Structure formats: structure tokens, C-alpha cells
Amino acid sequence: MILTGIVLGTLAAAYLAFALLQVFRLGLSLHQALLYVPLKLAYRIDDGQIRLARRADAPVVYVVTHQSRLDPALMLALLPGDTLHILDERAARAAWLEPWRELARTIAFNAEHVFVSRRLVRVLKRKGRIAVYMPETVEPEVRAFRLYRAVARIALQGDARVVPIFIDGARRLPFSLIDEANAPRRLLPRLRIGAAEPLTVAELVSRAGAATPTASGAAFDRVAEVRSRVPYAGLTLFQAVQAASRRFGADRPIVEDVISGTLSYRQLLMAARIFAGRFARITAPGEPVGVLLPNSNGFALTLLALMSAGRVAAMVNYTAGPANVTSAVRTAPIRTIVSSRAFVEKAGLDDIVEAAKAGGGRFVWIEDLRDGISSFDRLVAALFWRNSVGAQHAGAPALIMFTSGSEGTPKAVVLSHRNLIANAMQVESRLAIGPRDFVMNVLPVFHAFGLLGGLILPLLTGVRTLLYPSPLHYKQIPQTAAKRRPTILFATDTFLAAYANAADDGDFSSLRFAVAGAEPLRASTRRTWAERFDTQLLEGFGLTEAAPVVALNTATHNREGSVGRLLPGMRMRLEPVEGVAEGGRLWIAGPNVMMGYMSADRPGQLQGLPDEWHDTGDIVSVDREGFLAIRGRAKRFAKIAGEMVSLGAIEMLAHTAWPEDRHAVVAVPDKRRGERIVLVTTADNAEPAELRRHGKQAGIAELALPQDIVQVDEIPIHGTGKTDYAATRRLALDRLGLANAA
């Protein structure tokens, strides 16, 4: 009995001491700390950011993303004791929650009803605090979004600050409120609490810059921003994939291709461990290593292996032409390139290999690396597959990618691990995706859109992805989709239109949605996919320098003719452009914006942004709800007789006149007016009179219409599906006999 008493006394003293530590650390009351300790120990809670919430000056509204039945207990134990918690009816009645409900005042409400009330406003006006628990959905429909309107209105009327709170890991608890198919359960998942600095609704609205969302939109964006910041914070991409394997299960199938089958997280990371050891022996820490591989499992494991080894993966665009490849290899500079003999032979890339060698690159063949694997290598990988080979730094460069060069020579863009993870999580906070989904990625992974949407995002969200080798297989891709039944597709307008032309009506019936980017989405393409496949196309906008997504439409926040709203955590500003009445030149800032460029005149030297802002070179307008519309590229404006004319707007006019064909508009020299506009089109029946008729209906001055129409069989495109305007302009100059005048 004495021994038992000593043991119990010691445990009680330790319990009390740990509770007192929480009082000192977080400023809790002793009562709160005593009830928080068991939760803290069971779930190893990372709670450092809760201090942001506790320190917020009243009046304040805490907006808690409600993911599990444990959330109210945690918040009752952690938020200041004078907070009024607005609980759902189930939490307000739950007997097990009674000890925590005694820590603060609570009231019940029915989430089906908007809960703006004078009582809550009075609480805030008396320098009070309230905590509201919002549905977890990332794409709230009208009914759910009313709650954000209500919260914004309460905060405005009470002149209160808003503090969003997100509990990462809560969705995986056994008593999660999320569908288990999208949130695999774990008995004791580790929890991390994220919070943001307190800001008033007016400050949230102005903070977005030119995006100027509504009050409810600003509140929603702030909640999404915290949601995107917490998972994988402070990790490299390799470490984040390791963490994802724990979240979703090491044996979960995660990546596959059409030749070698499917790999689970464990198999992928084991293979990456083996290859990382090889790369560590033949390259130096932080060295850029070229990757010249198709969409395949081999690419995925090579990417992770380089990051495990602490190397920088440099994407070699094998469709860019020999001159651009030589330039890229010299600019990075890349001394070692990982590729496949079988791929080079099958794709006929001997000229690209020679061009890379001319730039100073030496090739390491993946077949040789695979043949050299020993039983000991496999044993070490099986034991240490979760461990990296090289040092890991989240702020270090992770990728070097090259811009598409649609208007000239490609530039080298340096992206950090933070940039890549931030953008993936920003997209995840906008799109309702999860482990029940299956991505079919046809876009090349050497392009930022294909890499982020088709590989990085799925790896971090537990979404199985099929890496299809070429987007140009217009007949095979619909057939593959009919057989494999993907739910999400990433593509460009060019490819989507081509797939629809080749597909049978049921081929894409499994898709929940497809995300279109890299070029404008035509109304005819959108209509075809809706009518034939019952598939919603979500248009977005991005650039390599933003890793790459900047704005995105979603299933419930979707405006045709726009590219969606700015991603959470991003800011924008517009600078006036001569001759442009609506909109301005877009500048962006955010956690996903690149570290900087490398240029051909200073190879290997990172030229960082002079401040946090990046000039996109795009002309955009923004409506009152924050939806962006792209008006054109600054470089794609022509000056005709002193008037600024958007080539992109004329291109869309041509799409209106001949919707079934492809069009590109370029400017060429003109001795009399400085420049003149040329329409390059695949439409056999394209006539100036028809274009003038459509221009008159659209209110476009005849001065802005093309003076020449050049008919072609195909519009030049890059491997990513984007129009190659440089090649198109050369074609137009040649056809018009102006090559010597350019």
C-alpha cells in the first residue's frame, strides 16, 4: 500500500508539475491546464501558435475549422476563459464534454440557421471574445458560405479582430467529422494547432491588395490561408512526402505509370533511398542535377531521390529544341543529367542529348543505376526508407524550372521547398480533393503545372496519380481514362479540345472535374465537356515563378470568363498600363513566389527579387468579389497608330467567329503604322468580313482588327500545349514575306 501510494503520489505530482508548466508556457488557468494535459500528452500537440490567439486584444472572433468532436474540448482548454463558445447542438449536449464546458461559457446553435444576433454583437462591443466552429469544407456551397457572411457581419458590427484556428491532424481522429474515405483514421495522430495574427475584417479586405474580396470572402480566405500553412510547415518536399506516408499509410498505392505499374509510398521512398545514395556519391550537396525523363514512376523516384540527397532537381524540357536545351544546361549550370536510354531512343532525342552535352552536361543513365543495385542496398533501403541521405533545409532551392519560352528564350526559375509545398497546400485549401480521388496527369512534369498538379499535390494529399507519358496521344488518352476511371484531370484548352474530339461520350464520365490552365479556356471547350461528359472545367491561372498556381476557380466559386480568385496567402497589386482602361499590370507576392532567376549572362547566380513582389507581365482586371480576368500579356499588346491593342482580345474574337478552330494573333512590323496585326488560323473559311462583323458586335474598333489572315494546318505549340508565339510570329513573317523586316 505504501509503495502504491508513493507511485500514485509521484504520478500526481508529475501531472501537476506538467500542468503548471502549461500555465507558465501558454498562460492557461490551472483548471484549463489540468484538463488540457491528457490531450497534450495523448496527441503530442504542437501548440506554440495558440499564443497568437490568446494574446489577441478583445474584441475578437476565433474562427475554428471544425474537423472533429475533440475540437471544442481543445479550444475550451486553450482559449481565454472569458471566451463565449458557440457550439453545435451535439457538442452542447455531449456528456463526455461536460468537464471542458465548465471552463468557459457556451451556447448552442443550429448550423442550418444564420446566427447573426444582437447578443453576439453586444458581447463583442463589451470587449468580449467569441469562438465559432465552421464546417471543414474547402468549397462551401451557398448554405455553408452564409456562416462566413454571418461571422464577417458580426465582426464588422462588433469592431472585432478575426483569428482563424486550424487543428492539423484532427480530421484523422477516430471521432473525425470528415468522411473516412478522405480522412484515414489513426488512433492517436499527432496534432498541430495553427493560428494567424488577429486582423479586423477591414484589414483583411485591404490586405489582399487589388483583389479586394467581399468581407465574407476575406474571412473565408483567411481561414483557408491558415489551413494551407499548417500541414508540412518547415519541411522539405522529401520530408513532406515522408509525413504524408504516415498520414495516409505507407502501403497506400500513390503513383503509377502505364508501363511499370503502381508504387506505394513505401516502395517509392525505398527506391528513392537507393538512388539518393548513388546521387550523393557522384554530385555535390546543393548541386543542380538535370532530369530528362518522361512522366513515369522513374521520374517520381528520381525527383525524391535528388531531394533526399540534398540536390536541386533541374527540369530539362526535351520539347524546347536543342538551342534552348543547351542554353538551359549552361544557365543552371547543370553538370550531371539523369535520363533513360530507352526513353531517349524511343522518343528520338539524340539531338537533345547532344545539345545537353554541348552545354556541359554528362549523362547518368537510370538503367545503369538500376542494374547496380545490390541486396545490401535493398536491405538498407528497407530499414531506413524514411530517412534522408543528405541534409534537409526547407528554405533551400528544390527545383530549377524553365519558363515555356512562348514569347522568347526560356528563363531559369529557382523554387524552394517552401514555395512548392506552399502552393500545393494553397491549391488543397481551394479544391475538395482527397484519398478517394484518382488523378490522371497527361501534362509533362518538366512543366510547373504538370509537376505541381500531377505529382506534388497528389503525393502530399494521398491522391493516387497516373503519370501518362505524352499529352499528344489524343486517341489513347480517352481510352485510358475510360479504362482507369480517374476523377481529376489536369490539362490545357488545346489538349482538352483534342481529347473531346477523339473521345466517345462515356470515356470521361468518371471525372468529378478537370482543371484547365496555361492558356485561355474557350467557351466552346467548356460547353463540349459539360454537354458530352457532364464534367465541369475549372479554369485557373499561374506561372512558373509562382510554383505555379496564382488563381483558381472552384466547383462552388466559379465565374466563367475569369481565372478564379487569388489563392489564400497571396497578395496582388495592379500598375496602370498606357492605353488600358480596365485593369492593370499584375504584381504578386506570397509564400509560393520564387526565390529568383538565373540568367544566361550570369550562370549559376541566383538573382533574387529586389523585394517580395514579382512582376507577372500580365494585364488583368478584378471584379468586386475578387475574380481575376486575364486581359493579355503586356508583351502581347500592339501599338497601332498610337492606340494600344490587346492581341489576346483579338484572339478571343477569332475564337468567337470560328470556335471549332485554333487561332493565334501576332504583331509584325508595318512601315506606315509601326505595327500591324496578323491572325494565324486553322480555319479554312476565315474571312476579314466575318471578323469585322464579330468585331462590330463586340464593340472593337476596326483599327484593332487583323490586317492579314494566314491560314495554316496547325498552330505551333510547346510540349505543354501552350501556343508558341515566337514560332507563330516567324511563320507569319515568312508567309507575308516580311522575314527580312523583322
Side-chain angles (χ1 to χ4, degrees):
M1 285 295 293
I2 295 176
L3 181 60
T4 302
I6 292 173
V7 171
L8 293 176
T10 301
L11 290 175
Y15 188 99
L16 179 61
F18 193 62
L20 290 172
L21 177 62
Q22 308 315 309
V23 172
F24 176 76
R25 284 181 60 248
L26 304 175
L28 308 181
S29 70
L30 181 58
H31 191 182
Q32 284 182 308
L34 290 171
L35 288 174
Y36 174 56
V37 164
L39 303 178
K40 167 79 172 175
L41 294 174
Y43 301 108
R44 292 95 67 211
I45 300 173
D46 181 344
D47 52 21
Q49 290 193 22
I50 200 65
R51 286 189 281 259
L52 282 173
R54 290 186 60 86
R55 286 200 301 259
D57 293 331
V60 63
V61 179
Y62 300 111
V63 184
V64 183
T65 302
H66 199 185
Q67 303 174 82
S68 80
R69 296 190 181 92
L70 184 67
D71 299 350
L74 272 173
M75 293 300 101
L76 284 160
L78 288 171
L79 293 178
D82 60 348
T83 304
L84 174 64
H85 293 255
I86 306 172
L87 305 178
D88 63 73
E89 292 177 333
R90 181 167 184 168
R93 294 195 308 267
W96 73 270
L97 194 58
E98 185 59 33
W100 284 272
R101 281 200 299 266
E102 293 180 358
L103 296 173
R105 295 176 299 154
T106 64
I107 60 173
F109 85 104
N110 185 337
E112 296 295 318
H113 303 293
V114 178
F115 59 94
V116 174
S117 73
R118 294 176 183 174
R119 175 186 175 183
L120 299 180
V121 174
R122 284 198 301 270
V123 169
L124 294 176
K125 286 187 173 180
R126 291 196 297 264
K127 301 295 183 181
R129 303 168 186 268
I130 63 174
V132 297
Y133 296 79
M134 305 296 282
E136 186 271 348
T137 177
V138 300
E139 294 182 22
E141 297 179 354
V142 174
R143 178 179 294 178
F145 201 70
R146 290 185 308 174
L147 295 177
Y148 284 95
R149 292 195 183 97
V151 168
R153 196 172 301 129
I154 290 170
L156 279 170
Q157 292 179 12
D159 194 26
R161 296 170 177 82
V162 175
V163 177
I165 297 174
F166 181 80
I167 308 169
D168 184 45
R171 63 189 290 119
R172 294 179 290 134
L173 288 163
F175 21 90
S176 170
L177 301 174
I178 316 303
D179 182 2
E180 188 169 358
N182 273 327
R185 304 299 196 252
R186 287 189 62 186
L187 181 61
L188 296 172
R190 185 169 186 175
L191 304 182
R192 172 183 285 178
I193 299 174
E197 301 78 13
L199 294 174
T200 65
V201 173
E203 289 171 332
L204 290 176
V205 170
S206 65
R207 182 173 175 269
T212 57
T214 60
S216 53
F220 174 60
D221 290 345
R222 187 62 163 170
V223 171
E225 179 182 349
V226 174
R227 178 194 179 106
S228 69
R229 285 194 329 209
V230 181
Y232 310 123
L235 302 181
T236 65
L237 187 56
F238 177 78
Q239 291 170 329
V241 175
Q242 288 178 312
S245 73
R246 289 190 289 270
R247 284 174 180 251
F248 303 107
D251 295 319
R252 175 175 177 76
I254 192 63
V255 62
E256 59 186 271
D257 61 26
V258 294
I259 296 175
S260 54
T262 304
L263 295 177
S264 67
Y265 277 114
R266 187 194 308 273
Q267 291 168 324
L268 179 62
L269 289 168
M270 284 176 62
R273 169 78 192 196
I274 294 173
F275 277 58
R278 298 290 193 277
F279 297 147
R281 287 195 287 271
I282 61 176
T283 60
E287 177 183 336
V289 178
V291 181
L292 199 163
L293 291 168
N295 288 17
S296 62
N297 292 347
F299 174 89
L301 70 88
T302 297
L303 179 71
L304 290 178
L306 288 171
M307 294 184 177
S308 170
R311 275 52 175 175
V312 182
M315 304 294 104
V316 179
N317 180 353
Y318 45 83
T319 70
N324 282 334
V325 168
T326 300
S327 173
V329 172
R330 287 174 176 166
T331 298
I334 301 169
R335 295 291 171 258
T336 303
I337 302 171
V338 182
S339 190
S340 160
R341 289 194 185 94
F343 170 58
V344 168
E345 181 180 351
K346 186 173 182 179
L349 298 178
D350 290 338
D351 59 336
I352 297 298
V353 171
E354 292 306 313
K357 289 180 179 179
R362 66 182 178 94
F363 277 78
V364 173
W365 303 105
I366 203 167
E367 290 90 347
D368 296 342
L369 295 175
R370 190 181 295 121
D371 291 343
I373 297 173
S374 66
S375 298
F376 179 75
D377 292 329
R378 292 188 174 90
L379 176 61
V380 171
L383 293 174
F384 301 106
W385 60 277
R386 288 193 187 274
N387 301 104
S388 64
V389 169
Q392 302 287 296
H393 303 287
L399 283 179
I400 296 175
M401 306 199 79
F402 297 89
T403 59
S404 63
S406 53
E407 296 156 4
T409 304
K411 293 176 287 188
V413 175
V414 182
L415 297 166
S416 70
H417 295 274
R418 286 197 184 106
N419 294 151
L420 298 169
I421 292 173
N423 200 230
M425 293 297 96
Q426 286 169 321
V427 173
E428 191 271 344
S429 72
R430 279 282 191 256
L431 294 179
I433 61 174
R436 67 169 51 183
D437 284 308
F438 178 23
V439 166
M440 182 172 177
N441 181 37
V442 300
L443 295 176
V445 285
F446 60 68
H447 186 261
F449 186 20
L451 181 60
L452 186 284
L455 184 59
I456 294 176
L457 178 64
L459 284 175
L460 299 187
T461 55
V463 176
R464 187 162 55 104
T465 184
L466 170 64
L467 298 174
Y468 193 86
S470 171
L472 302 178
H473 296 171
Y474 296 145
K475 292 183 178 180
Q476 296 94 324
I477 284 172
Q479 295 169 0
T480 302
K483 181 179 179 181
R484 306 303 297 275
R485 312 297 291 169
T487 61
I488 299 172
L489 177 70
F490 292 93
T492 67
D493 178 85
T494 298
F495 295 145
L496 288 167
Y499 303 152
N501 288 336
D504 293 330
D505 288 348
D507 286 351
F508 293 106
S509 60
S510 62
L511 290 178
R512 293 202 297 120
F513 60 82
V515 179
E519 62 177 343
L521 178 64
R522 294 176 295 166
S524 58
T525 307
R526 189 191 299 271
R527 184 171 58 252
T528 297
W529 278 75
E531 293 174 354
R532 291 192 56 200
F533 311 121
D534 193 27
T535 296
Q536 186 178 28
L537 300 186
L538 305 177
E539 187 174 6
F541 160 67
L543 52 153
T544 306
E545 293 88 343
V549 187
V550 172
L552 185 64
N553 279 294
T554 71
T556 57
H557 292 75
N558 194 347
R559 184 154 297 173
E560 188 169 347
S562 84
V563 292
R565 297 172 62 243
L566 205 65
L567 290 183
M570 295 198 70
R571 290 172 293 143
M572 60 177 283
R573 73 171 192 251
L574 300 182
E575 291 190 350
V577 176
E578 178 190 359
V580 177
E582 184 181 2
R585 188 175 183 126
L586 175 66
W587 290 69
I588 58 172
N592 54 313
V593 176
M594 66 173 181
M595 300 179 72
Y597 288 118
M598 288 181 182
S599 61
D601 59 339
R602 285 191 285 172
Q605 295 184 30
L606 177 62
Q607 301 164 37
L609 299 176
D611 54 25
E612 60 182 340
W613 292 92
H614 170 66
D615 176 12
T616 68
D618 290 288
I619 309 299
V620 309
S621 61
V622 189
D623 69 15
R624 63 178 299 273
E625 294 184 352
F627 285 87
L628 278 67
I630 307 299
R631 301 303 178 190
R633 293 281 295 167
K635 292 181 180 179
R636 299 207 66 239
F637 275 73
K639 199 164 190 176
I640 310 296
E643 296 292 328
M644 295 294 288
V645 177
S646 168
L647 303 183
I650 306 305
E651 208 167 272
M652 294 306 293
L653 181 68
H655 285 308
T656 303
W658 303 286
E660 302 304 319
D661 294 283
R662 307 294 305 175
H663 315 281
V665 175
V666 296
V668 300
D670 185 272
K671 292 181 180 179
R672 184 167 60 91
R673 298 196 296 180
E675 289 184 294
R676 77 175 191 256
I677 297 175
V678 179
L679 170 64
V680 181
T681 178
T682 62
D684 294 332
N685 58 339
E687 296 292 341
E690 180 68 7
L691 199 60
R692 284 196 298 271
R693 185 176 71 82
H694 280 272
K696 187 174 181 180
Q697 292 175 352
I700 296 176
E702 190 166 336
L703 173 77
L705 297 177
Q707 305 299 305
D708 302 281
I709 296 179
V710 174
Q711 294 177 331
V712 297
D713 293 330
E714 295 289 341
I715 300 291
I717 63 172
H718 291 283
T720 59
K722 295 174 67 174
T723 300
D724 186 339
Y725 287 106
T728 303
R729 185 173 184 273
R730 289 194 297 269
L731 188 154
L733 289 167
D734 184 63
R735 292 285 187 92
L736 296 172
L738 298 173
N740 293 330

